[in-house]
Amino acid sequence: MPSLVINPYSEINSVAVIGNYVPRQCGIATFTADLVQALSAESTERACWTIAMNDQPEGYAYPNKVRFEINQKQLSEYRLAAEFLNINKADVVCLQHEYGIFGGPAGSHILKLLAALRMPVVTTLHTVLTKPADEYRTATKRLAELSDRLVVMSSTATETLHKVYGIDPAKISYIPHGIPDMPFVDPNYYKDQFDVTGKKLLLTFGLLSENKGIEYAIQALPKVIKKFPDIVYIILGATHPHVLKADGESYRLGLQQLVRKLNLEQHVIFKNRFVTLEELCEYLAATDVYITPYVGEAQVTSGTLAYAMGTGNPVVSTPYRYAVEMLAEGRGRLVPFKDPDAMADALIDILENDNERNAMRKLAYDYCRPSIWKQVARSYLRVFNEVKAERIRQPRSYRQSPLLVKDTAFKQELPELKLDHLLAMTDDTGLLQHANYTIPDRNEGYCTDDNARALIVAAEARHLLAEKPYRYERLCDLYLSFLQHAFDTKNGRFRNFMSYDRRWLENTGSEDSHGRALWGLGSAVALLNDGRQLPLASTLFKLALPAVEAFTSPRALAFTLIGIHAYLETFSGDSGVRRVRAILAERLFKRFTDHAKDDWPWLEDSLNYANARLPHALILSGQWMQRDDITSMGLKALEWLVGIQIDNGHFVPIGNHGWYTRGGAKARFDQQPLEAHATIDACVAAFKLTSERQWLNHAMSAYNWFLGHNDLNLPLYDAKTGGCRDGLQSDCVNQNQGAESTLAWLLSLSTLHGVSADEVLTILPEQTVAVGV
């Protein structure tokens, strides 16, 4: 076939760019906006627009270039965005990729969108990890499979993609980080605007966070000031919004205290704001030496460094990967990480040697001329035309969605987590136990095991919902405070029932309630990343754990083992907790082996409540203890249990009016939501262990029980309130929406959302339809 001649500027009529967008304050947003503007400037006839990622439900006041918005945590919105792109028939989609701006494990939600697209995809990688965890490695390889071309901004990134991820270099294009077209000027020209006339100006700019290493630059100043008493160091930029939400201004305050401690108040100026491009260019033009003192080597691109060099700034930097490449051949000076003395020496040497400093400025400026946005936009257009031509020559196989393959359990869209009823049931003490219809029943007060499970829901909500996190942080605080108050330090046990007037109704709660409290606390340790909450959750967990060694209730052991499993996901090296896990797992396993028969592989002569928690605990514990005998028993027991809870193709949990005694009749009603929840969790654990998709199908059967695929064909989930009705009776649904039922629904939905997100990573592409452009 003859080669296709490509006109680099006329083939592409419509480009859609996916990424963050201004006025959101982050580097990706600035990059995306600059790229869209540069592409638009190359032709007034070419449509160039944006799909913006939102990290808050209300979004931002975007300009007209933004045509669609995605709530980054809502997987369903990625599918809708793909439909929008396909309907609007963009010629090319250009994705700005950074793991943290997308939802799902390792930012994997975006893969669902890409898999459904019918046009070529060019992905710009803003981060390339050299030592990725497994899920990041998988996500990156899937991203490469779904992209027609990967764009990197450094040659070291190309090397890493080939050596670490096995990606063909022919699929990778190098395009430098774009910069504004700024003149090469004498720094003294702009200094009067910042009241630094006659002084030497050092500058660092960008959103503040601890990985910037600015404390090391500050510590270098006293030595520099001895040589150059007129030094001024401007630290320009607001604190990163996510850092601000998580930690407030603690990093900035620490830097300010360091300045005071070193008596540098006359030499260090903090500018705590997000500056315009025009202001930034003026600051850079006035700078004598630019500093990037980052503390880690992994960074493969830096817009701030590119901007500084593009203005002709001499640069002193630590040797992160992008800086090593950019500052080679005399274009800047590298110093070791976290070494203030070396940084001071480099600054002094550059400031003392005018000829070397001016030569460095010129080398940096000339090197970056191909990086001005006009040139970068043209490079992107060449790549866009190449991938479009390649699609014409060789149409690409695709499938509509990584979650719509024929054997997946997820053929239906999962609803969003809705916490309205949970919030209605929660007051300033904690979660109330019961409700009359949807109205909280204050006469029944509170209980510890409900508040423990509510803590899990609140912690999960922080990851699944894009609403402002303080709402769920407050809920975590509230439920965690209840557990702290419930714990009796004298006997190491939790109390369970509390009256509405805050009187404990017992000195010691049941073993099962204690186990549920440990389940909630262990899960909170795994889910919470808040420095305020994690210490209390882990401390309470450790204080309450020893009492379980004397317990005899098998369900208490199971609840505790599930909590231990979650706790060890964060503190895997805790040998004391690992020892308790071994003791409890062995004890529960022995109960099964001593009692189980071929026709009744169970640890007791009856099935009653929370049955699936028992094999669930064996599956989790056996897997991580590398005990195949324990996991085999768990899988065998769960398979048997699931089998006797399926009738006429739908889930029928053991009823609590009589339960099911060996040799007797199985109670059909009342069917309880906590049985469906326990079954979902256990089947998902079995799927994760075995990768056998039958377990997901069983989990979805239990899930659909909530939605009306049950004996009465009536839903228990109330889509209006977000709550769950209390059970399925022989002739009706119990209309009360108590805490336990609502928590069972919310926790079930959270589990399935997690599996749905994981599916994007685990399902490989299928060749189903050939699509060109």
Side-chain angles (χ1 to χ4, degrees), residues 472-739:
Y472 306 115
E473 288 172 7
R474 180 188 173 278
L475 282 179
C476 289
D477 286 348
L478 186 64
Y479 301 137
L480 192 54
S481 177
F482 189 99
L483 294 179
Q484 180 186 31
H485 185 53
F487 186 68
D488 186 344
T489 56
K490 295 177 182 177
N491 62 13
R493 293 289 299 276
F494 286 99
R495 293 162 286 205
N496 192 24
F497 295 110
M498 175 190 275
S499 65
Y500 184 69
D501 59 359
R502 296 187 177 182
R503 288 181 297 105
W504 289 110
L505 302 179
E506 58 193 355
N507 292 324
T508 303
S510 67
E511 290 184 2
D512 286 7
S513 67
H514 191 99
R516 282 198 184 101
L518 284 166
W519 169 23
L521 288 167
S523 298
V525 169
L527 293 166
L528 295 175
N529 54 11
D530 190 317
R532 300 178 305 103
Q533 297 163 338
L534 183 60
L536 177 58
S538 58
T539 298
L540 270 178
F541 182 88
K542 294 291 291 290
L543 289 173
L545 188 59
V548 185
E549 293 189 56
F551 285 4
T552 59
S553 164
R555 284 163 182 77
L557 301 182
F559 296 143
T560 302
L561 284 168
I562 294 167
I564 285 174
H565 175 81
Y567 173 90
L568 289 174
E569 286 181 353
T570 298
F571 298 115
S572 59
D574 192 322
S575 55
V577 175
R578 290 160 67 100
R579 180 188 63 80
V580 175
R581 177 177 63 183
I583 293 170
L584 301 186
E586 192 65 55
R587 188 181 302 167
L588 186 63
F589 177 56
K590 189 173 187 303
R591 294 281 289 267
F592 271 92
T593 56
D594 287 350
H595 200 86
K597 307 297 182 188
D598 288 342
D599 64 337
W600 189 269
W602 204 245
L603 77 171
E604 51 196 3
D605 283 333
S606 65
L607 292 167
N608 41 68
Y609 82 99
N611 296 303
R613 291 293 166 203
L614 300 165
H616 182 197
L618 291 181
I619 291 167
L620 293 179
S621 301
Q623 178 184 8
W624 292 102
M625 293 167 62
Q626 298 185 342
R627 287 282 301 274
D628 291 343
D629 53 345
I630 294 179
T631 54
S632 295
M633 177 59 76
L635 291 170
K636 180 180 179 181
L638 182 60
E639 185 174 24
W640 173 77
L641 178 64
V642 168
I644 63 175
Q645 293 187 123
I646 296 292
D647 191 5
N648 293 321
H650 65 266
F651 180 67
V652 184
I654 305 300
N656 70 0
H657 279 181
W659 306 117
Y660 182 22
T661 301
R662 185 177 184 184
K666 180 172 61 175
R668 191 88 178 190
F669 301 98
D670 285 352
Q671 298 174 20
Q672 298 295 305
L674 87 162
E675 300 301 330
H677 172 215
T679 301
I680 288 168
D681 279 358
C683 289
V684 166
F687 168 68
K688 290 181 176 180
L689 174 66
T690 67
S691 298
E692 295 173 1
R693 304 193 68 79
Q694 63 172 349
W695 293 114
L696 280 190
N697 293 328
H698 293 321
M700 292 305 290
S701 293
Y703 163 76
N704 283 313
W705 176 88
F706 285 104
L707 301 182
H709 194 198
N710 52 48
D711 280 342
L712 301 187
N713 292 317
L714 293 173
L716 285 89
Y717 169 53
D718 185 342
K720 181 178 180 180
T721 67
C724 180
R725 300 172 179 97
D726 276 352
L728 199 67
Q729 299 171 343
S730 59
D731 59 348
C732 65
V733 171
N734 184 333
Q735 294 296 325
N736 297 329
Q737 296 184 19

Side-chain angles (χ1 to χ4, degrees), residues 14 77 97 156 216 235 267 401 419 433 599 629 664 757 771:
S14 177
E77 295 194 10
H97 185 268
T156 57
Y216 300 103
I235 300 165
H267 300 277
S401 166
L419 302 189
Q433 278 193 86
D599 64 337
D629 53 345
V771 176

